[in-house]
Every structure is written in structure tokens, then in C-alpha cells.
Amino acid sequence: MPKVKRIAVMTSGGDCQAMNSVVRAVVLAARKYNIETVGIMDGFYGMTYRRPGDFRVLRAEDVENIISRGGTILNSARFDEFRQESVIKTAAKNMKEEGIEALVVAGGDGSFRGGLDLLKYSNIPIIGIPSTIDNDITSTEYTLGFDTALRNTIEMADALRDTCNSHKRCNVIEVMGRNCGQIALMTAIAVGASGVAIPEAPEAFDVDRTIDRMIEARKRGKRSFLVVFAEGAVNTRLTDDEKKATLDAAAESYLADRISGRDLAMIADENYISAFGEQFRTRLQRRSREEFSKYYAETGDIHFKDEYIETKFARFAHVARGGSPTVYDRVTASRMGELAVDLIAAKRGNRCICVHDGRITSMDMWDAINVDSVYRRYRKTGVHDSEAIAKLSPLQKKLYDYRVKLNESLIRSAAALSEI
Ligand code: F6P
């Protein structure tokens, strides 16, 4: 079997902090086999348009001093057009013309699918390295960037806690996670949150029950609260029709001069305008004001005169995705990059690097993508697709169950350890 001589590495989709560690490891590990590494700029976009410099040979000197840097020296891009046959064919042609014999892709599930599409027209095997701060790829227990994203998030949340406590406030924190609540759940547990809302389990966060318990906790003397929302969490408390009816009634009251413009704006905010976390902030402030005013009238306790739970909102967003990677991310990314090259040299292509039972290993790429789609369907609908599950291999089934149980147990722990 002829030896592999030239491979490519690229970073694709939303970036994460350990992508540079992957690129570095691929280049350095390839030296063991005398393989030349080409870096492709801007992911599938650069592969398709092949502007001058988009395919560049990377030597050891080119990857010096990058292990500690967030972002990616190869840049990253989301490129939706990579679903079109003509686009994929162009990219495949470019890869062949550049003499690329295998491709390492650091990215998420979308990037792995792109790699398999490329395979259809190029016969160039791919190795996927799971890289997303969301930790939401079913085939692996860990995706690169998650640990660093949590470090960033927790540092910011702890800082907010300090000032919240000084001022007797609540801070609502929105963290990344469009479809997955892993960052939110871990953050909630790590910072002693009073509640957490995630996209996959809307029923696990009850707005009014949480507010009631916070009010009771304040009566007992609790000064500060943190409540964590994943960006993809939605308020399922009311249907769209109910929200519309509330808003119509409020608009009518405003026009009849029964409520102020400020009240109308708050009702609109709670029901429509803002993200779930911001809606929660508005509702918490309004309801706690009402409750404490009643409480003061009943008890005459001066501590509760003009009392309410003053609440600030902070969106951490992409800050979580930058910064220098943690030791865990650097080492895991480096070992994953090295394994990718070992697999290519051994002619074992089309595999996904994974962490299983805490060990870095690999599995068949199609199996990885398949179990991911079955789990994503469950996450979206809340229903286990028993027909699809029956077709999973024992490894896939184990990974599927791991995900389901992990989320369930994190939700339980966050509730049990809630600081209210
Ligand atoms: O990296 C994953 C993720 O952080 C999601 O949680 C988030 O919704 C998304 O990326 C946003 O990324 P971008 O704004 O770069 O498209």
C-alpha cells in the first residue's frame, strides 16, 4: 500500500479555543510519517474558492507558539452553500488538484457531514475532531472548547456574584447553547445558581415557582441570586394566543389610561420582546415588588419597606468562545490531533475522534453522525424514536443512553443544589 504523503487540516463552523492545538498537533505528528500538512483557510469556503494562499503548507515553525492561543490561525467559516452538489464538486476537484490524500476537520456535526459529502465526490478520507464549546456531539463525551468556555463563564459569573451580594441583587446570566444546555447546567451547578433554564427540557424551569422560592429566600435573608439561561431556552409558560391576548388587553388598558406606558412596555417585554432571561428579569422585579409590598402591609416589618429583588441581566455570548485554552483542552486537542494522523497513516479514514469512558479513541464517522441525528431528534421532540434506537449498534446505544442520562442527572443535581 503506498504511503500517505500529503494531508490537509482545517477548522470549520463556530470556532473554539483548542482549534490551534489541533492544527499544531496534526502538523507535528505528521512529521513522524514524513507526511506534509497543508492548512486550508476559512474551512469549506477556502476549499471551494481556493483563493491564493487558501491552501498553504504548514511547517513546524508555522505552528510554534499557537498552543496557548484561542481562535484559529486557519480561520473558520460557516458555509451553508456546501450542501449544493456543484459547490462540493468544485471543492473535491480543488482537493485532488492540490494532491490532498486525507483531510482532518476540527468542527461540529455540520462540518463532519460536509466532510462526508466531500468524500462522495473525491474519495478523500476524512477524520473529524469534535470541536465546539457546546459539548453537544452525541458520539463523544467531550468536545473541545467546553472546558475553556466553562472556565470563562464561571469566572464572569463569580464576579457578578460578588457585586450582586454587595448590592442585594439578582443577576440573570445568559450563556451560549442554542440547542444544548450543557454549558448552562454546568455553570448553574458550579456557581450555586438559584435556577437554570435549558432548551432541551423547558418543563424543568418553572418561572413562577422559581420566583416564589426566591421571594421566600429573600424573606429568610438571602441577599444575592444568580439564575442561568441557555440562549436557546424558551418560555413555554404561555401559548402564543395567550401572550397575544395579554398584550391586547394591556394595550387597551393603556389607551383607556388605566396603566402607564412603562407598565405596557413591561408587559410587552415579558411576553414578546426579549429573550427568556430578560423576560424573567422583568417578571421577577415586578412580582417581587408586588409581593413585598403586600408582605410589608401585613407584617409592618421595616426591612421589607420598598423591598424587591433588583435584577440585572448579562449576556456572556461569544466571550465564552475566546481566550487561552485550559490545560485539559490543550492536552485533549493535542492527543486528538495526533490520533487523527496515526489513523490516516494506518489508512483508517472516515472516523470521528471521540472520548469514550474518559479515553481518547475513534469511531466510524457514519455511525457517529447517525447516533447524533437520533439523539438530536429526541432533543427536539422529547420523544425517543424506538424504531431508530432499535437499529443502533451496542456502542451507539451506549452513547445515546449516556447523553439522555447525563442530562437528566445534571438537571436533577442543579435542582437539588439550587440556592433557594
Ligand atoms: O459554538 C456553538 C455556539 O456557541 C452556539 O451555542 C451558538 O448558538 C452559536 O455557536 C453561535 O455562533 P455564531 O454566532 O458564531 O454563529
Side-chain angles (χ1 to χ4, degrees), residues 94-387:
N94 290 343
M95 291 287 276
K96 279 192 207 147
E97 284 175 8
E98 292 284 343
I100 306 298
E101 295 164 74
L103 171 68
V104 180
V105 185
D109 61 309
S111 308
F112 299 165
R113 274 169 222 275
L116 286 182
D117 285 341
L118 180 76
L119 182 68
K120 280 192 228 150
Y121 299 99
S122 70
N123 233 352
I124 294 173
I126 73 150
I127 304 285
I129 299 195
S131 313
T132 159
I133 63 163
D134 287 345
N135 200 23
D136 66 343
I137 300 182
T138 317
S139 57
T140 178
E141 288 156 20
Y142 186 76
T143 63
L144 297 177
F146 184 53
D147 190 51
T148 309
L150 282 174
R151 180 210 57 204
N152 292 351
T153 303
I154 281 155
E155 274 180 7
M156 291 187 281
D158 284 345
L160 284 177
R161 170 73 80 182
D162 294 342
T163 164
C164 268
N165 213 53
S166 307
H167 290 272
K168 221 174 151 206
R169 282 179 182 151
C170 169
N171 220 305
V172 168
I173 297 165
E174 187 191 276
V175 299
M176 276 212 152
R178 191 165 28 202
N179 305 308
C180 177
Q182 288 269 308
I183 294 179
L185 286 167
M186 295 281 193
T187 302
I189 293 172
V191 304
S194 298
V196 52
I198 60 166
E200 308 93 308
E203 73 292 345
F205 182 77
D206 183 325
V207 172
D208 285 319
R209 202 171 115 78
T210 307
I211 293 177
D212 288 343
R213 293 182 60 195
M214 289 170 76
I215 292 170
E216 286 311 309
R218 173 59 61 83
K219 286 181 188 164
R220 293 193 306 270
K222 183 163 173 55
R223 291 183 65 80
S224 64
F225 302 90
L226 296 178
V227 184
V228 181
F229 285 76
E231 61 173 320
V234 283
N235 189 356
T236 51
R237 186 172 54 91
L238 295 171
T239 64
D240 278 351
D241 285 348
E242 284 168 322
K243 285 194 229 168
K244 188 172 177 309
T246 311
L247 194 56
D248 285 349
E252 227 177 276
S253 300
Y254 170 70
L255 291 174
D257 247 351
R258 287 195 299 272
I259 61 169
S260 67
R262 196 164 173 273
D263 288 338
L264 177 63
M266 281 203 303
I267 292 167
D269 184 38
E270 270 183 41
N271 289 282
Y272 272 104
I273 299 170
S274 307
F276 191 11
E278 291 168 294
Q279 293 176 8
F280 177 79
R281 170 198 53 191
T282 308
R283 191 170 179 81
L284 172 61
Q285 297 200 117
R286 185 173 62 74
R287 279 213 39 219
S288 62
R289 216 184 271 281
E290 286 167 8
E291 293 299 321
F292 282 115
S293 136
K294 274 193 247 155
Y295 189 67
Y296 175 61
E298 278 161 28
T299 62
D301 185 341
I302 192 70
H303 292 103
F304 297 99
K305 185 172 183 308
D306 301 326
E307 179 74 346
Y308 77 113
I309 302 181
E310 186 186 6
T311 305
K312 303 283 176 187
F313 176 83
R315 177 170 288 129
F316 293 170
H318 295 78
V319 181
R321 241 165 61 182
S324 177
T326 58
V327 174
Y328 184 73
D329 266 327
R330 292 182 200 196
V331 173
T332 310
S334 300
R335 295 184 57 216
M336 285 183 166
E338 184 188 2
L339 177 57
V341 176
D342 290 343
L343 289 168
I344 289 171
K347 301 265 173 149
R348 295 185 67 205
N350 307 325
R351 299 191 69 78
C352 212
I353 309 290
C354 309
V355 176
H356 292 164
D357 299 324
R359 277 180 42 247
I360 296 173
T361 176
S362 72
M363 73 182 279
D364 177 83
M365 181 68 98
W366 283 276
D367 286 354
I369 286 182
N370 172 249
V371 67
D372 198 49
S373 354
V374 180
Y375 181 73
R376 272 167 206 262
R377 247 189 340 267
Y378 162 63
R379 208 166 63 183
K380 224 173 177 172
T381 59
V383 180
H384 295 287
D385 179 344
S386 40
E387 220 173 284

